[in-house]
Amino acid sequence: MKLKSCITGILLLFLTTAATAILPASDSLQRLVVSDIRISGNKKTKDYIILRELTFSQGDTLSLSGLQLALSESVKNLQRQPLFHFIETGIDQQTGNGTAVVKIRVQERWYTWLWPVFNFADRNFNAWLEKGDISRLSYGLFLQQENFRGRLEKLHIRFMAGYQQQVMLTYEAPYLNSRKTLGAGLILTGARERETAVIVFNDKPEYFRHDDFLRHYSEAAAFLRFRPGIHLSHTATAQIGSYRFSDTLLALNPEYAGIKTKETVIPLLSYLLKADFRDQRAYPLSGWYADALLEWTGILPSADYNYLTLRSSARWHLPLSQRWNLAAGGAVKLSTRGTKPWFRNQGLGYQRDYVRGYEYQVVNGDNFWVTKANLRYAVLPLKIIRIGRLKAEQFNTIPVSVHIGAFADAGRAWRGGPGENNSLQDKLLFGTGLGIDFVTYYDKVVRTELSLNREGKAGIFVHFMAAI
């Protein structure tokens, strides 16, 4: 009987302990009314810009644990916007009347920049560095105004001189209606080039330089964005471009324009769907992102081109422990048949769409797929460096982190355009290697990688954005 009572007592003690560990505390289950949301530190940013990203509102009733979770998700939403360095939050629980005051303190970035611009003619820094020809640089100024008027508006003005001359204006207003769901923007570009890629030879773009301008073009694009919630957005864009090519350019590659005339107008419509559930934009460590872009080039019956292009990408970020992180991603492009200008029919080797180890090569084609995987370890987890001598808080608090890792990529492009001695079209590409990533404020990432590709060629490459 004593043994039975002892066993019963131990069992009750075990169940009581387990229930205490598993079930939330009574305080965390208490229902609280959010009586006020107090925002500080936003000297320029309007309050409603911050409130738009919160998953709760003043007057909502939540449990303490539910409010803490909602506040954590809201911070992630704010971190995806190019507005703040740091965000601090707190909850003042008024136990007497069952209310809570939420406090949000932000540290704003510096929003106005005038950058000197040095632009290389090549697709990426590594392709330019391979030749190291300083004369192939173009130079100019870039006025970057983020958070214009404190309303998350964007105003960019870019001026380039040299062999590739360009003037570009970008303006975006994210919120046009009272519900903060509709936004719009305008992009105007005018350019002329004395140097441009004319053909792919031995899987590398061949550039041609001339004293006269080889190509003139002007483009105008207007877009409307619908963002009904936090994570999803829909963007419709209408664009028209006018192009003029020199006789020299068309003699070097008769398929450059895809048509026999020296001038063409290219109208297009596109629809872009985005889903963003990442913890941050520049160097995510958790969450996922996906997009799909459908583009119709031609539209008008009189247009020289008429084809559809679908491009989609996805990226996943999975924290394995406090320092280990796994990232994987992929992209695919599919195009219908039809007359296409050579200079717009890009495949692997441009922007994010490349297999590491093939930074020097390109594989043009109507269709491609690419997949990437990274295993990373935080040698230096996020560390805050404070410089007391600097009074401006936009610069005196510097976040720094360093990650090392291993990676493996694969991809394939097919149904390509003209070229000579190209061996990589319709071939499985594979690359692997080791890398180190340096991440600091204003979304700056410097990535250095030692890569080995399927052909047995190794190299050290530098990039300025996260791989995935």
Side-chain angles (χ1 to χ4, degrees), residues 24 26-34 60-70 91:
S26 58
D27 288 345
S28 65
L29 290 176
Q30 180 184 354
R31 306 293 288 178
L32 298 171
V33 177
V34 180
D60 287 355
T61 302
L62 302 92
S63 66
L64 178 59
S65 59
L67 182 57
Q68 290 170 336
L69 179 60
I91 300 174

Side-chain angles (χ1 to χ4, degrees), residues 6 16 133 144 166 197 222 231 280 365:
C6 183
T16 302
D133 186 354
Q144 181 180 355
Q166 183 189 76
H231 301 288
Q280 56 180 298

Side-chain angles (χ1 to χ4, degrees), residues 298-312:
I299 311 169
L300 304 175
S302 59
D304 294 321
Y305 314 98
N306 187 9
Y307 61 93
L308 293 172
T309 302
L310 173 64
R311 188 195 179 281
S312 183

Side-chain angles (χ1 to χ4, degrees), residues 27-262:
D27 288 345
S28 65
L29 290 176
Q30 180 184 354
R31 306 293 288 178
L32 298 171
V33 177
V34 180
S35 61
D36 194 10
I37 301 175
R38 297 175 185 174
I39 302 173
S40 61
N42 53 325
K43 299 176 182 178
K44 184 172 184 178
T45 308
K46 307 297 183 184
D47 282 359
Y48 72 80
I49 297 295
I50 298 173
L51 294 173
R52 170 65 172 82
E53 303 303 312
L54 305 184
T55 62
F56 60 94
S57 304
Q58 184 175 341
D60 287 355
T61 302
L62 302 92
S63 66
L64 178 59
S65 59
L67 182 57
Q68 290 170 336
L69 179 60
L71 192 54
S72 176
E73 290 299 314
S74 299
V75 169
K76 292 180 182 179
N77 298 338
L78 288 168
Q79 286 175 334
R80 283 192 292 269
Q81 302 294 339
L83 294 174
F84 310 118
H85 281 316
F86 304 103
I87 303 165
E88 299 175 356
T89 62
I91 300 174
D92 284 350
Q93 185 178 353
Q94 311 295 322
T95 55
N97 55 14
T99 63
V101 175
V102 175
K103 296 181 179 180
I104 301 174
R105 186 183 185 281
V106 299
Q107 186 185 96
E108 293 184 315
R109 298 183 177 193
W110 187 262
Y111 299 124
T112 304
W113 298 91
L114 184 62
W115 301 96
V117 177
F118 299 96
N119 194 29
F120 30 82
D122 303 86
R123 301 159 293 108
N124 59 54
F125 175 74
N126 301 281
W128 173 80
L129 193 62
E130 184 184 22
K131 297 178 181 178
D133 186 354
I134 297 178
S135 67
R136 301 182 68 242
L137 285 173
S138 296
Y139 51 90
L141 290 174
F142 179 32
L143 172 62
Q144 181 180 355
Q145 176 65 70
E146 304 292 343
N147 199 21
F148 185 46
R149 300 192 298 172
R151 303 177 182 181
L152 196 57
E153 295 168 290
K154 180 190 297 183
L155 176 64
H156 292 175
I157 301 174
R158 181 185 178 101
F159 170 78
M160 295 293 301
Y163 273 85
Q164 293 180 311
Q165 301 178 4
Q166 183 189 76
V167 177
M168 183 177 69
L169 169 68
T170 301
Y171 172 73
E172 179 180 350
Y175 304 126
L176 299 178
N177 60 340
S178 59
R179 296 181 59 193
K180 310 295 185 298
T181 58
L182 283 178
L186 180 68
I187 304 173
L188 302 175
T189 306
R192 56 185 186 176
E193 300 171 348
R194 287 192 177 98
E195 181 176 12
T196 186
V198 296
I199 202 167
V200 176
F201 181 78
N202 284 336
D203 302 306
K204 293 185 178 181
E206 289 290 320
Y207 289 82
F208 182 77
R209 180 187 300 183
H210 200 274
D211 291 336
D212 296 327
F213 290 100
L214 298 171
R215 183 173 72 150
H216 297 71
Y217 68 91
S218 57
E219 296 174 342
F223 61 86
L224 183 67
R225 178 169 294 123
F226 177 55
R227 186 169 173 245
I230 297 294
H231 301 288
L232 296 179
S233 67
H234 310 259
T235 305
T237 302
Q239 176 181 308
I240 188 165
S242 176
Y243 300 83
R244 187 169 78 251
F245 314 103
S246 69
D247 292 329
T248 303
L249 183 58
L250 296 181
L252 291 168
N253 182 358
E255 298 299 322
Y256 187 88
I259 56 176
K260 295 182 179 180
T261 59
K262 295 169 54 177

